[in-house]
Amino acid sequence: MKQVIFWGTRGSLPTAPTGQVIREKIIAALAAANGRSFRNRDALEQFVGGLPFTVNNTFGGNSSCVEIVTDGPDHLVCDMGSGARPLGQSKIARYGTPNPQTYHIFISHLHWDHLMGFPFFAPMYIPGNHIVIHGCHQQLEEAVRMQMRAPCFPVDYSQAGARIDFDLMTPDLPHEIDGVRVTPKLQLHTGDSYGYRFDSAEKSVVYSTDSEHKLDDLASFDSFARFFAKADLVIFDAMYSLAEATSVKADWGHSSNVVGVELCQAAAAKRLALFHHEPAHDDAQLFRLFEESIRFEQITRGDRPPLDIVSAYDGLTINL
Amino acid sequence: MMQLTTREQSGVLVVSVSGRIDHASSEEFTRLLEPLLINCRQGQPALLLDFSGVAYISSAGLRVLMMASRQSKAQQGSFAIAALTPLVQEVFTISRFNLIVPCYTSVDTACKVLGQ
Ligand SMILES: [Zn+2]
Ligand SMILES: [Zn+2]
């Protein structure tokens, strides 16, 4: 495994920035420029590149979709949220049509924010492509078909040009797929969700979203610490603050940055990516949560080696 | 081994907590608090945890405090924490537990408010 590319990082509902948000960014950039003039495009690019993330970028708003780039010929993808649309477009741009490709898609669970991008995933309409949808829910195929059926969607599932297969996986059992060992794990979430651990000869990546952690369940904490053990990257549902996740939003099926850090520390994981961002949070709030997570790791580190923390955003590529 | 020592100040039951409240000791912390919480009810002295000796608290420890706060509220008693060390104070802020468990800067300040 070489890279992880985040195509959609928003939780629950795709979230577009408003005109007011863009205005604020323009105002902040102009204030930083403070009347400077720029010789050419390069000079502008350089200036913009030096602005803070919340001014020159955005966490973005597509729902869950993460690509794992392997050394093999196939494509590995976690979830089919609305981020699957730009992912599909990039594949078409890269490989053209026809140019048969195999896509392995791992579905955490059947909630809409994790499936809604599939009808917009262009490779599924192109004959010659092979799509294998892996998951652990009995109703996996039914849920995928259901959202491409009148009156929900104009194009029926039967219009798919690609060959689509479904693979029901068994939790806790490793499966060899495109040279990667993939192990699903049951997680606490309404209707169940599954995390996936991907192990290649050199690297390990864990995708664990829509997963609540009960703080008094120490056995579960230990079992997730084992699931995350020594991972190069853990992609973690950090939708709420710890206080929210334990009080007003208890049983809503999500976790926090604090528990993400604690589990990664217990697991001796190398890097944590905060993921499944709350739609109500703007870039400034998400960036604050990111900085606080870094600080929390520092003050709780003890003798452990440092844990690298990133806050995932649409378009982020992590080299493993 | 976690230790709780109790004393009375201005009509408030002040309990000094010391050590690390991590995943391993959170169950013990719950057990030690239990008899104190039973009496944290209407008409009884407020229960104040002096946190000046706590060097570290994990999420499991924070949950114990939330449950204690909840129980005292249900019993119409009053429960608070005081004198957090700067690092523990930061953990409270980052986790937003400062918003759900009443915190005071010092035991004296807390006693002035709770002791009436
Ligand atoms: Zn979700
Ligand atoms: Zn969900």
Side-chain angles (χ1 to χ4, degrees), chain A residues 29-46:
Chain A
L30 290 174
N34 195 23
R36 267 178 65 177
S37 60
F38 300 90
R39 287 190 315 283
N40 52 28
R41 170 90 196 192
D42 279 358
L44 260 173
E45 288 280 359
Q46 201 187 354

Side-chain angles (χ1 to χ4, degrees), chain A residues 10-13 63-64 79 108-109 111-114 189 209-210 237 239 253-254 275-276:
Chain A
R10 188 67 66 163
S12 303
L13 187 73
S63 71
S64 303
D79 278 337
S108 65
H109 63 311
H111 285 161
W112 202 20
D113 57 317
H114 298 258
H189 193 73
T209 193
D210 295 63
D237 171 359
M239 193 170 182
H254 297 286
F275 185 74
H276 205 271

Side-chain angles (χ1 to χ4, degrees), chain A residues 273-285:
Chain A
L274 308 174
F275 185 74
H276 205 271
H277 302 306
E278 160 67 55
H281 286 164
D282 63 17
D283 288 328
Q285 284 167 298

